[in-house]
Amino acid sequence: MFSTILSAAILGIDAYPVQVEADICDGLPQFCMVGDLSPEAREAADRVRTAFRNTGFYFPPKRVTVNLSPAHIRKEGTRYDLPVAAALLSAMGALPAEQVENVLMAGEVGLSGTVRPVNGILQTVMLAKESGCKMCLVPKENVREGAFVPDIPVIGIGNIKELKECLACPEKAGQKTPSNETELFKQPVYKDDFREVNGQEGVRRAAEIAAAGMHNFLMIGPPGAGKTMIAKRIPTILPGLTREESLEISRVYSVCGLLEGKGQAVVRPFRAPHHTISASALAGGGRRILPGEISLATRGVLFLDELPEFQRNVLEALRQPLEEGQVVISRVNGKYVFPAHFQLVAAMNPCRCGYYPDRERCSCLPGEVARYMHRISWPLLDRIDICAEVHKVAYQDLARAGTSESSGQIRERVEKARILQKKRYKGCAWQYNAGLPSWGVHRFCPLGSEEEQILKTAFEKMDLSARAYHRIIKVARTIADLENEPDIRTPHLLEAIGYRCVDRKYWER
Ligand SMILES: [Zn+2]
């Protein structure tokens, strides 16, 4: 009496096929599970045995062996409970072999037989489709998530009592919800809007440029000036998600169990980790390797408030993902690659008390101010394209509350600028100005002789690094795109240089 059920293991954000084999033979009553299992995966034996008793299934007083193969993949979590239960029922002859053939299952089983949701269903169903399975059996709560994958029936199950019915006539039992794809690509509705930001024209403009070219953005200013308020609203001026982007975000959220029954990501992520975060929580890692905040912010915004308060090693962990658009974690058992196409938005006070250079309120010593600013290393600062000062809101701006431009109006311009960039970089590995590699700057952003001269002067006067030089041109390109100008002109370049002057002002003392 032997049977096999298909399931999947999750490593990082990818799913790998796993065969759950069950054998029942004469001998001393025993339930043995093998195949490189973590403690919680091994406990499936106790859960399934008790669930069988409580749902009225017969559990034979025989020698039961369950093997999860291949043995070189570590099996973690409770997702193998459902396939183990199905494999036992099939080995006992309660489920016909042809019905369980080519059906991929995953789910946790409670002691009463209820099937509970598990993480990573999206990639599990994707694997089922790739390997040509005829259907996928998942916990009821996870059906919406699985339904995002087209062309494969995804059946939700609430209790192991329903196993027979689900497999015999899936059409009847199936709780497959139709994919709400048509709704998905409508412009998502956000709670926040740029209309609520009073005044701050300069920072609003900088945020718009940053959004249009996917540039990393730093705001410096006193507490209470509205830095967090602006950062929170940046996702609202970014274009709506494409199907591929939604899939990329959903894969990360699925393994972290953050889709919350929504099925798939419909809005751009906004992640704002506290400054006490550890490097592995930011970049990813842990005992069971999971994506960190960087990957959770992919295709959206990673907001770091109080930037100098972050541990130095945490900030350094940002550098590689910022350049490469991915996080690579190497361990003895393999290499994990997580997406990291995020826009970095950071905010900081100009000194510890927050009011420098306002000498009436700030009593920090010059040395202290310098030390505070230098907690952010040059290499990191060099990767930030736009640096803007945020000032206290003026009284007349408060009085004019509610008259500012809305996120929708700004988004229209951002979308147009992004379409221009996509056209320009068709067939390239990058899509936006911020991603343009230094070798491509001269090819895609040629300068006239007057512009060349301005940049040369700035380069010498400001003692710019090669990276900063390229970044100025890229930002100028975005400003020109916002104005639908085919060439980079002097005003574009001067504005872009202005966004680099701010960091010079604060750091060079
Ligand atoms: Zn101060």
Side-chain angles (χ1 to χ4, degrees), residues 63-330:
R63 191 188 162 85
V64 175
T65 311
V66 170
N67 176 36
L68 271 61
S69 139
H72 66 87
I73 292 179
R74 176 86 173 161
K75 288 96 186 167
E76 284 173 329
T78 51
R79 53 184 7 255
Y80 306 103
D81 295 3
L82 182 63
V84 167
L88 288 175
L89 288 173
S90 165
M92 287 188 278
L95 292 175
E98 67 277 3
Q99 278 180 12
V100 294
E101 205 182 344
N102 258 331
V103 177
L104 200 145
M105 306 180 192
E108 181 182 325
V109 174
L111 298 188
S112 60
T114 9
V115 179
R116 301 207 175 112
V118 290
N119 296 348
I121 285 297
L122 180 62
Q123 27 280 87
T124 304
V125 178
M126 283 165 75
L127 174 80
K129 194 195 156 194
E130 281 161 25
S131 24
C133 292
K134 67 178 179 202
M135 71 175 200
C136 224
L137 202 58
V138 303
K140 234 179 200 169
E141 282 93 335
N142 290 126
V143 172
R144 276 175 70 90
E145 194 179 323
F148 190 44
V149 184
D151 308 327
I152 177 162
V154 180
I155 310 298
I157 176 168
N159 193 297
I160 52 168
K161 275 189 281 191
E162 300 159 19
L163 257 172
K164 221 175 187 163
E165 187 195 356
C166 285
L167 291 165
C169 46
E171 303 77 28
K172 235 190 203 172
Q175 280 101 15
K176 183 181 158 97
T177 27
S179 172
N180 50 346
E181 212 163 297
T182 39
E183 277 171 54
L184 176 62
F185 302 110
K186 273 195 234 156
Q187 190 54 52
V189 184
Y190 290 93
K191 281 204 303 284
D192 304 311
D193 196 291
F194 256 100
R195 193 181 285 128
E196 296 141 14
V197 181
N198 302 320
Q200 306 288 21
E201 294 309 324
V203 197
R204 293 169 64 106
R205 164 82 177 159
E208 179 179 333
I209 299 167
M214 270 284 269
H215 298 288
N216 299 321
F217 180 38
L218 171 68
M219 289 176 275
I220 305 177
K227 301 188 292 278
T228 308
M229 196 176 176
I230 291 167
K232 260 195 180 163
R233 284 160 180 76
I234 291 181
T236 68
I237 57 169
L238 294 171
L241 289 174
T242 63
R243 193 173 198 284
E244 288 69 37
E245 285 174 331
S246 172
L247 191 64
E248 182 181 320
I249 302 167
S250 304
R251 276 165 68 90
V252 177
Y253 278 63
S254 178
V255 289
C256 296
L258 293 173
L259 277 176
E260 293 160 356
K262 279 204 291 283
Q264 62 265 323
V266 285
V267 291
R268 292 196 181 264
F270 176 80
R271 304 293 298 186
H274 190 252
H275 59 74
T276 51
I277 193 174
S278 69
S280 65
L282 186 74
R287 189 181 55 86
R288 228 185 105 201
I289 312 276
L290 282 176
E293 289 290 335
I294 288 179
S295 303
L296 288 169
T298 195
R299 303 293 170 193
V301 170
L302 177 72
F303 177 51
L304 303 183
D305 199 4
E306 309 282 359
L307 193 63
E309 302 290 341
F310 283 79
Q311 297 273 326
R312 216 184 168 97
N313 65 325
V314 173
L315 292 183
E316 295 309 299
L318 278 171
R319 274 164 56 181
Q320 180 238 352
L322 274 175
E323 287 300 304
E324 293 169 14
Q326 59 181 28
V327 179
V328 183
I329 299 172
S330 296

Side-chain angles (χ1 to χ4, degrees), residues 350-359 361-365 368-369:
C351 68
R352 195 167 279 285
C353 81
Y355 294 102
Y356 183 86
D358 180 357
R359 275 315 189 179
R361 302 181 74 175
C362 169
S363 55
C364 301
L365 299 171
E368 283 173 353
V369 179

